[in-house]
Amino acid sequence: MGDSDDRWEHILRVAARLFAQRGYHGTGMTELGEAAGLQRGALYYYIQSKENLLYEISSRHVVEMVQFGEELVKEQRTATDKLLRLSKQLIRTIHDDLDEVTVFFREIGALTGERRLRVFELRDRFEDVWMRILQQGVSEGVFRRADPLLIKAILGMHNYSYLWMKPGGQMQPEEVAQYFCEVLFRGILTESGDVEYRSLTTDH
């Protein structure tokens, strides 16, 4: 990696931290330049525009997750194995790139035009990875269902962790992912609890 790449990476990290702490709109270019150690002109040389910087911060971890997921789908593994691996990779990414992920969830609405469309396309491709794995599991007879609402529930459980996950926490990211998957795979109802739940949903 050359000096230019190193500087670009430094700017991304600094901007992600500031955007996560103070918000995209609450962070001025002068403030960003000072934090990155660059004059205003030099800063614009690297980032082109503030919105372009937001796009790069918001999209790169999604790009990596989509690439990981689409390769995983092609592998000769069971659906259960694939889902666990995808879960672990997602929680690890949230943990390691917490500022970037925070900016993605909080500030994505500030993107406009083609950048906005590209990020939403990446999001849709990532959801499709989960759908294909769930559909494989249904075909294998190990999953009961594969539908968009289930994907929203699974991703909600994973993505919400950016609000409470802290580096150096009691559980490693992979342990958090395994816990999530155990809840997902096994559910929380005992056999008697399942009978009670079915009676409640039948009555109501």
mmCIF file of all heavy atoms in Angstrom, residues 133-179:
data_model
loop_
_atom_site.group_PDB
_atom_site.id
_atom_site.type_symbol
_atom_site.label_atom_id
_atom_site.label_comp_id
_atom_site.label_asym_id
_atom_site.label_seq_id
_atom_site.Cartn_x
_atom_site.Cartn_y
_atom_site.Cartn_z
ATOM 1 N N ILE A 133 -29.464 -18.973 1.197
ATOM 2 C CA ILE A 133 -29.045 -19.947 2.200
ATOM 3 C C ILE A 133 -30.261 -20.542 2.897
ATOM 4 O O ILE A 133 -30.329 -21.755 3.141
ATOM 5 C CB ILE A 133 -28.075 -19.302 3.207
ATOM 6 C CG1 ILE A 133 -26.754 -18.945 2.521
ATOM 7 C CG2 ILE A 133 -27.825 -20.239 4.394
ATOM 8 C CD1 ILE A 133 -25.784 -18.184 3.391
ATOM 9 N N LEU A 134 -31.227 -19.713 3.230
ATOM 10 C CA LEU A 134 -32.447 -20.216 3.861
ATOM 11 C C LEU A 134 -33.194 -21.162 2.920
ATOM 12 O O LEU A 134 -33.703 -22.211 3.347
ATOM 13 C CB LEU A 134 -33.355 -19.053 4.257
ATOM 14 C CG LEU A 134 -32.871 -18.180 5.417
ATOM 15 C CD1 LEU A 134 -33.778 -16.963 5.572
ATOM 16 C CD2 LEU A 134 -32.825 -18.972 6.725
ATOM 17 N N GLN A 135 -33.272 -20.800 1.650
ATOM 18 C CA GLN A 135 -33.948 -21.667 0.682
ATOM 19 C C GLN A 135 -33.228 -23.001 0.537
ATOM 20 O O GLN A 135 -33.871 -24.049 0.393
ATOM 21 C CB GLN A 135 -34.037 -20.960 -0.668
ATOM 22 C CG GLN A 135 -35.028 -19.808 -0.675
ATOM 23 C CD GLN A 135 -34.987 -18.993 -1.951
ATOM 24 O OE1 GLN A 135 -33.973 -18.967 -2.662
ATOM 25 N NE2 GLN A 135 -36.072 -18.302 -2.253
ATOM 26 N N GLN A 136 -31.898 -22.989 0.587
ATOM 27 C CA GLN A 136 -31.136 -24.240 0.570
ATOM 28 C C GLN A 136 -31.510 -25.087 1.779
ATOM 29 O O GLN A 136 -31.687 -26.311 1.673
ATOM 30 C CB GLN A 136 -29.634 -23.967 0.574
ATOM 31 C CG GLN A 136 -28.794 -25.245 0.607
ATOM 32 C CD GLN A 136 -27.299 -24.965 0.765
ATOM 33 O OE1 GLN A 136 -26.813 -23.890 0.393
ATOM 34 N NE2 GLN A 136 -26.561 -25.926 1.319
ATOM 35 N N GLY A 137 -31.625 -24.420 2.945
ATOM 36 C CA GLY A 137 -31.987 -25.158 4.158
ATOM 37 C C GLY A 137 -33.369 -25.776 4.079
ATOM 38 O O GLY A 137 -33.594 -26.886 4.572
ATOM 39 N N VAL A 138 -34.302 -25.064 3.464
ATOM 40 C CA VAL A 138 -35.644 -25.616 3.269
ATOM 41 C C VAL A 138 -35.562 -26.846 2.357
ATOM 42 O O VAL A 138 -36.192 -27.884 2.631
ATOM 43 C CB VAL A 138 -36.590 -24.555 2.668
ATOM 44 C CG1 VAL A 138 -37.919 -25.195 2.254
ATOM 45 C CG2 VAL A 138 -36.843 -23.432 3.670
ATOM 46 N N SER A 139 -34.774 -26.753 1.291
ATOM 47 C CA SER A 139 -34.606 -27.888 0.376
ATOM 48 C C SER A 139 -33.958 -29.082 1.063
ATOM 49 O O SER A 139 -34.283 -30.238 0.768
ATOM 50 C CB SER A 139 -33.755 -27.475 -0.832
ATOM 51 O OG SER A 139 -34.384 -26.450 -1.580
ATOM 52 N N GLU A 140 -33.054 -28.795 1.998
ATOM 53 C CA GLU A 140 -32.383 -29.869 2.734
ATOM 54 C C GLU A 140 -33.256 -30.432 3.845
ATOM 55 O O GLU A 140 -32.896 -31.444 4.462
ATOM 56 C CB GLU A 140 -31.069 -29.349 3.325
ATOM 57 C CG GLU A 140 -30.012 -29.011 2.276
ATOM 58 C CD GLU A 140 -28.791 -28.313 2.871
ATOM 59 O OE1 GLU A 140 -28.824 -27.937 4.066
ATOM 60 O OE2 GLU A 140 -27.798 -28.147 2.132
ATOM 61 N N GLY A 141 -34.359 -29.749 4.134
ATOM 62 C CA GLY A 141 -35.261 -30.213 5.180
ATOM 63 C C GLY A 141 -34.825 -29.831 6.582
ATOM 64 O O GLY A 141 -35.325 -30.394 7.558
ATOM 65 N N VAL A 142 -33.922 -28.842 6.711
ATOM 66 C CA VAL A 142 -33.442 -28.442 8.038
ATOM 67 C C VAL A 142 -34.038 -27.105 8.495
ATOM 68 O O VAL A 142 -34.004 -26.788 9.683
ATOM 69 C CB VAL A 142 -31.901 -28.376 8.090
ATOM 70 C CG1 VAL A 142 -31.319 -29.776 7.896
ATOM 71 C CG2 VAL A 142 -31.347 -27.417 7.051
ATOM 72 N N PHE A 143 -34.538 -26.298 7.562
ATOM 73 C CA PHE A 143 -35.201 -25.041 7.906
ATOM 74 C C PHE A 143 -36.687 -25.143 7.548
ATOM 75 O O PHE A 143 -37.037 -25.736 6.520
ATOM 76 C CB PHE A 143 -34.591 -23.855 7.160
ATOM 77 C CG PHE A 143 -33.147 -23.575 7.482
ATOM 78 C CD1 PHE A 143 -32.369 -22.826 6.612
ATOM 79 C CD2 PHE A 143 -32.553 -24.058 8.650
ATOM 80 C CE1 PHE A 143 -31.035 -22.557 6.886
ATOM 81 C CE2 PHE A 143 -31.223 -23.798 8.935
ATOM 82 C CZ PHE A 143 -30.465 -23.056 8.047
ATOM 83 N N ARG A 144 -37.528 -24.531 8.369
ATOM 84 C CA ARG A 144 -38.967 -24.597 8.122
ATOM 85 C C ARG A 144 -39.442 -23.595 7.097
ATOM 86 O O ARG A 144 -40.434 -23.814 6.417
ATOM 87 C CB ARG A 144 -39.742 -24.388 9.431
ATOM 88 C CG ARG A 144 -39.673 -25.535 10.400
ATOM 89 C CD ARG A 144 -40.770 -25.434 11.445
ATOM 90 N NE ARG A 144 -40.601 -24.251 12.278
ATOM 91 C CZ ARG A 144 -39.937 -24.247 13.436
ATOM 92 N NH1 ARG A 144 -39.355 -25.352 13.853
ATOM 93 N NH2 ARG A 144 -39.819 -23.146 14.147
ATOM 94 N N ARG A 145 -38.740 -22.470 6.989
ATOM 95 C CA ARG A 145 -39.232 -21.421 6.096
ATOM 96 C C ARG A 145 -38.090 -20.572 5.569
ATOM 97 O O ARG A 145 -36.994 -20.555 6.126
ATOM 98 C CB ARG A 145 -40.248 -20.542 6.814
ATOM 99 C CG ARG A 145 -39.649 -19.791 8.018
ATOM 100 C CD ARG A 145 -40.726 -19.041 8.784
ATOM 101 N NE ARG A 145 -41.719 -19.955 9.331
ATOM 102 C CZ ARG A 145 -42.778 -19.565 10.029
ATOM 103 N NH1 ARG A 145 -42.998 -18.291 10.232
ATOM 104 N NH2 ARG A 145 -43.620 -20.443 10.509
ATOM 105 N N ALA A 146 -38.400 -19.846 4.492
ATOM 106 C CA ALA A 146 -37.463 -18.880 3.897
ATOM 107 C C ALA A 146 -38.305 -17.782 3.273
ATOM 108 O O ALA A 146 -38.883 -17.971 2.210
ATOM 109 C CB ALA A 146 -36.589 -19.551 2.849
ATOM 110 N N ASP A 147 -38.408 -16.670 3.952
ATOM 111 C CA ASP A 147 -39.231 -15.579 3.449
ATOM 112 C C ASP A 147 -38.624 -14.242 3.858
ATOM 113 O O ASP A 147 -37.793 -14.177 4.775
ATOM 114 C CB ASP A 147 -40.670 -15.700 3.963
ATOM 115 C CG ASP A 147 -40.758 -15.715 5.475
ATOM 116 O OD1 ASP A 147 -40.534 -14.657 6.089
ATOM 117 O OD2 ASP A 147 -41.042 -16.783 6.050
ATOM 118 N N PRO A 148 -39.005 -13.156 3.184
ATOM 119 C CA PRO A 148 -38.404 -11.838 3.456
ATOM 120 C C PRO A 148 -38.554 -11.379 4.905
ATOM 121 O O PRO A 148 -37.650 -10.734 5.443
ATOM 122 C CB PRO A 148 -39.152 -10.907 2.491
ATOM 123 C CG PRO A 148 -39.572 -11.796 1.368
ATOM 124 C CD PRO A 148 -39.909 -13.099 2.015
ATOM 125 N N LEU A 149 -39.684 -11.690 5.547
ATOM 126 C CA LEU A 149 -39.877 -11.255 6.923
ATOM 127 C C LEU A 149 -38.890 -11.942 7.860
ATOM 128 O O LEU A 149 -38.373 -11.315 8.799
ATOM 129 C CB LEU A 149 -41.315 -11.536 7.376
ATOM 130 C CG LEU A 149 -41.691 -11.011 8.768
ATOM 131 C CD1 LEU A 149 -41.475 -9.505 8.847
ATOM 132 C CD2 LEU A 149 -43.141 -11.370 9.091
ATOM 133 N N LEU A 150 -38.610 -13.209 7.613
ATOM 134 C CA LEU A 150 -37.627 -13.927 8.419
ATOM 135 C C LEU A 150 -36.247 -13.289 8.268
ATOM 136 O O LEU A 150 -35.505 -13.135 9.245
ATOM 137 C CB LEU A 150 -37.580 -15.400 8.015
ATOM 138 C CG LEU A 150 -36.527 -16.267 8.719
ATOM 139 C CD1 LEU A 150 -36.706 -16.231 10.233
ATOM 140 C CD2 LEU A 150 -36.584 -17.705 8.208
ATOM 141 N N ILE A 151 -35.902 -12.900 7.047
ATOM 142 C CA ILE A 151 -34.607 -12.247 6.825
ATOM 143 C C ILE A 151 -34.535 -10.936 7.588
ATOM 144 O O ILE A 151 -33.516 -10.606 8.203
ATOM 145 C CB ILE A 151 -34.383 -12.023 5.319
ATOM 146 C CG1 ILE A 151 -34.216 -13.372 4.621
ATOM 147 C CG2 ILE A 151 -33.146 -11.148 5.085
ATOM 148 C CD1 ILE A 151 -34.186 -13.287 3.124
ATOM 149 N N LYS A 152 -35.626 -10.151 7.567
ATOM 150 C CA LYS A 152 -35.647 -8.894 8.314
ATOM 151 C C LYS A 152 -35.432 -9.163 9.806
ATOM 152 O O LYS A 152 -34.731 -8.408 10.493
ATOM 153 C CB LYS A 152 -36.979 -8.173 8.105
ATOM 154 C CG LYS A 152 -37.269 -7.750 6.686
ATOM 155 C CD LYS A 152 -36.294 -6.711 6.169
ATOM 156 C CE LYS A 152 -36.706 -6.209 4.787
ATOM 157 N NZ LYS A 152 -35.703 -5.287 4.195
ATOM 158 N N ALA A 153 -36.045 -10.225 10.310
ATOM 159 C CA ALA A 153 -35.898 -10.563 11.731
ATOM 160 C C ALA A 153 -34.457 -10.961 12.054
ATOM 161 O O ALA A 153 -33.883 -10.515 13.058
ATOM 162 C CB ALA A 153 -36.850 -11.700 12.093
ATOM 163 N N ILE A 154 -33.863 -11.782 11.211
ATOM 164 C CA ILE A 154 -32.492 -12.235 11.434
ATOM 165 C C ILE A 154 -31.518 -11.060 11.377
ATOM 166 O O ILE A 154 -30.655 -10.890 12.248
ATOM 167 C CB ILE A 154 -32.091 -13.302 10.400
ATOM 168 C CG1 ILE A 154 -32.918 -14.585 10.597
ATOM 169 C CG2 ILE A 154 -30.596 -13.621 10.503
ATOM 170 C CD1 ILE A 154 -32.721 -15.604 9.499
ATOM 171 N N LEU A 155 -31.663 -10.239 10.350
ATOM 172 C CA LEU A 155 -30.754 -9.101 10.199
ATOM 173 C C LEU A 155 -30.980 -8.064 11.296
ATOM 174 O O LEU A 155 -30.028 -7.425 11.749
ATOM 175 C CB LEU A 155 -30.927 -8.463 8.817
ATOM 176 C CG LEU A 155 -30.353 -9.276 7.655
ATOM 177 C CD1 LEU A 155 -30.660 -8.607 6.327
ATOM 178 C CD2 LEU A 155 -28.850 -9.465 7.811
ATOM 179 N N GLY A 156 -32.223 -7.900 11.726
ATOM 180 C CA GLY A 156 -32.478 -6.984 12.821
ATOM 181 C C GLY A 156 -31.748 -7.417 14.086
ATOM 182 O O GLY A 156 -31.160 -6.584 14.788
ATOM 183 N N MET A 157 -31.769 -8.706 14.363
ATOM 184 C CA MET A 157 -31.077 -9.239 15.530
ATOM 185 C C MET A 157 -29.575 -8.990 15.437
ATOM 186 O O MET A 157 -28.942 -8.590 16.414
ATOM 187 C CB MET A 157 -31.356 -10.739 15.651
ATOM 188 C CG MET A 157 -30.690 -11.417 16.833
ATOM 189 S SD MET A 157 -31.307 -13.110 17.091
ATOM 190 C CE MET A 157 -30.844 -13.893 15.533
ATOM 191 N N HIS A 158 -29.019 -9.202 14.262
ATOM 192 C CA HIS A 158 -27.577 -9.006 14.078
ATOM 193 C C HIS A 158 -27.208 -7.517 14.035
ATOM 194 O O HIS A 158 -26.296 -7.079 14.733
ATOM 195 C CB HIS A 158 -27.119 -9.674 12.781
ATOM 196 C CG HIS A 158 -27.021 -11.164 12.862
ATOM 197 N ND1 HIS A 158 -28.126 -11.997 12.909
ATOM 198 C CD2 HIS A 158 -25.946 -11.989 12.910
ATOM 199 C CE1 HIS A 158 -27.739 -13.253 12.963
ATOM 200 N NE2 HIS A 158 -26.421 -13.278 12.980
ATOM 201 N N ASN A 159 -27.903 -6.765 13.192
ATOM 202 C CA ASN A 159 -27.507 -5.377 12.959
ATOM 203 C C ASN A 159 -27.661 -4.498 14.191
ATOM 204 O O ASN A 159 -26.894 -3.554 14.388
ATOM 205 C CB ASN A 159 -28.324 -4.793 11.801
ATOM 206 C CG ASN A 159 -27.996 -5.446 10.471
ATOM 207 O OD1 ASN A 159 -26.954 -6.074 10.306
ATOM 208 N ND2 ASN A 159 -28.896 -5.306 9.519
ATOM 209 N N TYR A 160 -28.646 -4.784 15.015
ATOM 210 C CA TYR A 160 -28.887 -3.969 16.206
ATOM 211 C C TYR A 160 -27.699 -4.019 17.163
ATOM 212 O O TYR A 160 -27.541 -3.122 18.003
ATOM 213 C CB TYR A 160 -30.147 -4.468 16.907
ATOM 214 C CG TYR A 160 -30.628 -3.610 18.050
ATOM 215 C CD1 TYR A 160 -31.294 -2.413 17.816
ATOM 216 C CD2 TYR A 160 -30.422 -4.000 19.370
ATOM 217 C CE1 TYR A 160 -31.743 -1.617 18.867
ATOM 218 C CE2 TYR A 160 -30.861 -3.219 20.427
ATOM 219 C CZ TYR A 160 -31.522 -2.040 20.169
ATOM 220 O OH TYR A 160 -31.960 -1.255 21.216
ATOM 221 N N SER A 161 -26.847 -5.021 17.005
ATOM 222 C CA SER A 161 -25.715 -5.175 17.924
ATOM 223 C C SER A 161 -24.737 -4.007 17.838
ATOM 224 O O SER A 161 -23.941 -3.806 18.755
ATOM 225 C CB SER A 161 -24.983 -6.491 17.664
ATOM 226 O OG SER A 161 -24.375 -6.492 16.385
ATOM 227 N N TYR A 162 -24.790 -3.225 16.762
ATOM 228 C CA TYR A 162 -23.862 -2.087 16.668
ATOM 229 C C TYR A 162 -24.107 -1.070 17.782
ATOM 230 O O TYR A 162 -23.215 -0.295 18.130
ATOM 231 C CB TYR A 162 -23.979 -1.411 15.300
ATOM 232 C CG TYR A 162 -25.022 -0.321 15.199
ATOM 233 C CD1 TYR A 162 -24.689 1.010 15.431
ATOM 234 C CD2 TYR A 162 -26.341 -0.613 14.863
ATOM 235 C CE1 TYR A 162 -25.637 2.019 15.338
ATOM 236 C CE2 TYR A 162 -27.290 0.387 14.765
ATOM 237 C CZ TYR A 162 -26.939 1.705 14.997
ATOM 238 O OH TYR A 162 -27.885 2.694 14.908
ATOM 239 N N LEU A 163 -25.319 -1.096 18.356
ATOM 240 C CA LEU A 163 -25.652 -0.144 19.412
ATOM 241 C C LEU A 163 -25.050 -0.520 20.763
ATOM 242 O O LEU A 163 -24.844 0.354 21.606
ATOM 243 C CB LEU A 163 -27.178 -0.023 19.551
ATOM 244 C CG LEU A 163 -27.910 0.652 18.391
ATOM 245 C CD1 LEU A 163 -29.405 0.524 18.565
ATOM 246 C CD2 LEU A 163 -27.499 2.115 18.273
ATOM 247 N N TRP A 164 -24.806 -1.795 20.978
ATOM 248 C CA TRP A 164 -24.321 -2.210 22.297
ATOM 249 C C TRP A 164 -22.983 -2.947 22.278
ATOM 250 O O TRP A 164 -22.367 -3.120 23.318
ATOM 251 C CB TRP A 164 -25.359 -3.090 22.997
ATOM 252 C CG TRP A 164 -25.868 -4.267 22.204
ATOM 253 C CD1 TRP A 164 -27.049 -4.338 21.517
ATOM 254 C CD2 TRP A 164 -25.238 -5.545 22.015
ATOM 255 N NE1 TRP A 164 -27.181 -5.570 20.916
ATOM 256 C CE2 TRP A 164 -26.097 -6.325 21.214
ATOM 257 C CE3 TRP A 164 -24.032 -6.096 22.461
ATOM 258 C CZ2 TRP A 164 -25.781 -7.623 20.831
ATOM 259 C CZ3 TRP A 164 -23.710 -7.394 22.083
ATOM 260 C CH2 TRP A 164 -24.593 -8.137 21.277
ATOM 261 N N MET A 165 -22.535 -3.370 21.116
ATOM 262 C CA MET A 165 -21.276 -4.111 21.069
ATOM 263 C C MET A 165 -20.089 -3.182 21.319
ATOM 264 O O MET A 165 -20.006 -2.086 20.753
ATOM 265 C CB MET A 165 -21.110 -4.804 19.715
ATOM 266 C CG MET A 165 -19.890 -5.706 19.658
ATOM 267 S SD MET A 165 -19.813 -6.643 18.113
ATOM 268 C CE MET A 165 -21.278 -7.654 18.270
ATOM 269 N N LYS A 166 -19.196 -3.613 22.182
ATOM 270 C CA LYS A 166 -18.013 -2.839 22.508
ATOM 271 C C LYS A 166 -16.764 -3.692 22.317
ATOM 272 O O LYS A 166 -16.748 -4.863 22.716
ATOM 273 C CB LYS A 166 -18.056 -2.353 23.964
ATOM 274 C CG LYS A 166 -19.291 -1.527 24.326
ATOM 275 C CD LYS A 166 -19.350 -0.222 23.542
ATOM 276 C CE LYS A 166 -20.574 0.595 23.955
ATOM 277 N NZ LYS A 166 -20.726 1.816 23.121
ATOM 278 N N PRO A 167 -15.710 -3.114 21.729
ATOM 279 C CA PRO A 167 -14.445 -3.854 21.638
ATOM 280 C C PRO A 167 -13.963 -4.256 23.031
ATOM 281 O O PRO A 167 -14.061 -3.477 23.981
ATOM 282 C CB PRO A 167 -13.489 -2.838 20.995
ATOM 283 C CG PRO A 167 -14.395 -1.897 20.242
ATOM 284 C CD PRO A 167 -15.646 -1.802 21.069
ATOM 285 N N GLY A 168 -13.484 -5.479 23.136
ATOM 286 C CA GLY A 168 -13.000 -5.954 24.431
ATOM 287 C C GLY A 168 -14.096 -6.397 25.369
ATOM 288 O O GLY A 168 -13.877 -6.489 26.580
ATOM 289 N N GLY A 169 -15.290 -6.673 24.820
ATOM 290 C CA GLY A 169 -16.402 -7.124 25.650
ATOM 291 C C GLY A 169 -16.187 -8.538 26.173
ATOM 292 O O GLY A 169 -15.203 -9.212 25.839
ATOM 293 N N GLN A 170 -17.114 -8.996 26.992
ATOM 294 C CA GLN A 170 -16.974 -10.310 27.628
ATOM 295 C C GLN A 170 -17.030 -11.445 26.617
ATOM 296 O O GLN A 170 -16.417 -12.492 26.820
ATOM 297 C CB GLN A 170 -18.076 -10.500 28.679
ATOM 298 C CG GLN A 170 -17.927 -9.583 29.886
ATOM 299 C CD GLN A 170 -18.983 -9.858 30.941
ATOM 300 O OE1 GLN A 170 -19.974 -10.552 30.694
ATOM 301 N NE2 GLN A 170 -18.780 -9.321 32.127
ATOM 302 N N MET A 171 -17.765 -11.262 25.517
ATOM 303 C CA MET A 171 -17.893 -12.299 24.495
ATOM 304 C C MET A 171 -17.213 -11.853 23.212
ATOM 305 O O MET A 171 -17.299 -10.696 22.820
ATOM 306 C CB MET A 171 -19.374 -12.603 24.218
ATOM 307 C CG MET A 171 -20.138 -13.157 25.411
ATOM 308 S SD MET A 171 -21.902 -13.417 25.043
ATOM 309 C CE MET A 171 -21.800 -14.774 23.843
ATOM 310 N N GLN A 172 -16.534 -12.784 22.568
ATOM 311 C CA GLN A 172 -15.969 -12.522 21.254
ATOM 312 C C GLN A 172 -17.104 -12.428 20.225
ATOM 313 O O GLN A 172 -18.174 -13.019 20.427
ATOM 314 C CB GLN A 172 -15.008 -13.638 20.858
ATOM 315 C CG GLN A 172 -13.726 -13.663 21.672
ATOM 316 C CD GLN A 172 -12.891 -12.411 21.453
ATOM 317 O OE1 GLN A 172 -12.633 -12.021 20.315
ATOM 318 N NE2 GLN A 172 -12.473 -11.779 22.538
ATOM 319 N N PRO A 173 -16.897 -11.702 19.130
ATOM 320 C CA PRO A 173 -17.952 -11.589 18.123
ATOM 321 C C PRO A 173 -18.478 -12.936 17.642
ATOM 322 O O PRO A 173 -19.678 -13.106 17.440
ATOM 323 C CB PRO A 173 -17.248 -10.825 16.984
ATOM 324 C CG PRO A 173 -16.204 -10.024 17.673
ATOM 325 C CD PRO A 173 -15.723 -10.873 18.818
ATOM 326 N N GLU A 174 -17.591 -13.898 17.463
ATOM 327 C CA GLU A 174 -18.021 -15.219 17.005
ATOM 328 C C GLU A 174 -18.904 -15.905 18.038
ATOM 329 O O GLU A 174 -19.810 -16.672 17.682
ATOM 330 C CB GLU A 174 -16.801 -16.083 16.689
ATOM 331 C CG GLU A 174 -16.022 -15.651 15.449
ATOM 332 C CD GLU A 174 -15.153 -14.426 15.677
ATOM 333 O OE1 GLU A 174 -14.947 -14.031 16.859
ATOM 334 O OE2 GLU A 174 -14.675 -13.848 14.687
ATOM 335 N N GLU A 175 -18.665 -15.646 19.310
ATOM 336 C CA GLU A 175 -19.500 -16.217 20.364
ATOM 337 C C GLU A 175 -20.889 -15.582 20.353
ATOM 338 O O GLU A 175 -21.896 -16.262 20.576
ATOM 339 C CB GLU A 175 -18.843 -16.019 21.720
ATOM 340 C CG GLU A 175 -17.554 -16.797 21.913
ATOM 341 C CD GLU A 175 -16.874 -16.493 23.237
ATOM 342 O OE1 GLU A 175 -16.708 -15.297 23.578
ATOM 343 O OE2 GLU A 175 -16.513 -17.449 23.935
ATOM 344 N N VAL A 176 -20.934 -14.280 20.095
ATOM 345 C CA VAL A 176 -22.222 -13.595 19.984
ATOM 346 C C VAL A 176 -23.014 -14.178 18.816
ATOM 347 O O VAL A 176 -24.208 -14.473 18.935
ATOM 348 C CB VAL A 176 -22.024 -12.081 19.783
ATOM 349 C CG1 VAL A 176 -23.355 -11.390 19.492
ATOM 350 C CG2 VAL A 176 -21.362 -11.459 21.007
ATOM 351 N N ALA A 177 -22.345 -14.366 17.681
ATOM 352 C CA ALA A 177 -23.002 -14.920 16.497
ATOM 353 C C ALA A 177 -23.515 -16.335 16.771
ATOM 354 O O ALA A 177 -24.628 -16.697 16.370
ATOM 355 C CB ALA A 177 -22.043 -14.934 15.318
ATOM 356 N N GLN A 178 -22.715 -17.139 17.456
ATOM 357 C CA GLN A 178 -23.145 -18.499 17.754
ATOM 358 C C GLN A 178 -24.359 -18.499 18.681
ATOM 359 O O GLN A 178 -25.269 -19.311 18.517
ATOM 360 C CB GLN A 178 -21.996 -19.286 18.389
ATOM 361 C CG GLN A 178 -22.312 -20.761 18.573
ATOM 362 C CD GLN A 178 -21.071 -21.591 18.819
ATOM 363 O OE1 GLN A 178 -19.990 -21.264 18.324
ATOM 364 N NE2 GLN A 178 -21.222 -22.668 19.570
ATOM 365 N N TYR A 179 -24.382 -17.576 19.628
ATOM 366 C CA TYR A 179 -25.542 -17.446 20.522
ATOM 367 C C TYR A 179 -26.780 -17.085 19.707
ATOM 368 O O TYR A 179 -27.859 -17.673 19.894
ATOM 369 C CB TYR A 179 -25.261 -16.386 21.571
ATOM 370 C CG TYR A 179 -26.383 -16.185 22.560
ATOM 371 C CD1 TYR A 179 -26.435 -16.919 23.744
ATOM 372 C CD2 TYR A 179 -27.405 -15.280 22.317
ATOM 373 C CE1 TYR A 179 -27.468 -16.741 24.652
ATOM 374 C CE2 TYR A 179 -28.446 -15.100 23.212
ATOM 375 C CZ TYR A 179 -28.463 -15.820 24.382
ATOM 376 O OH TYR A 179 -29.493 -15.647 25.274
#
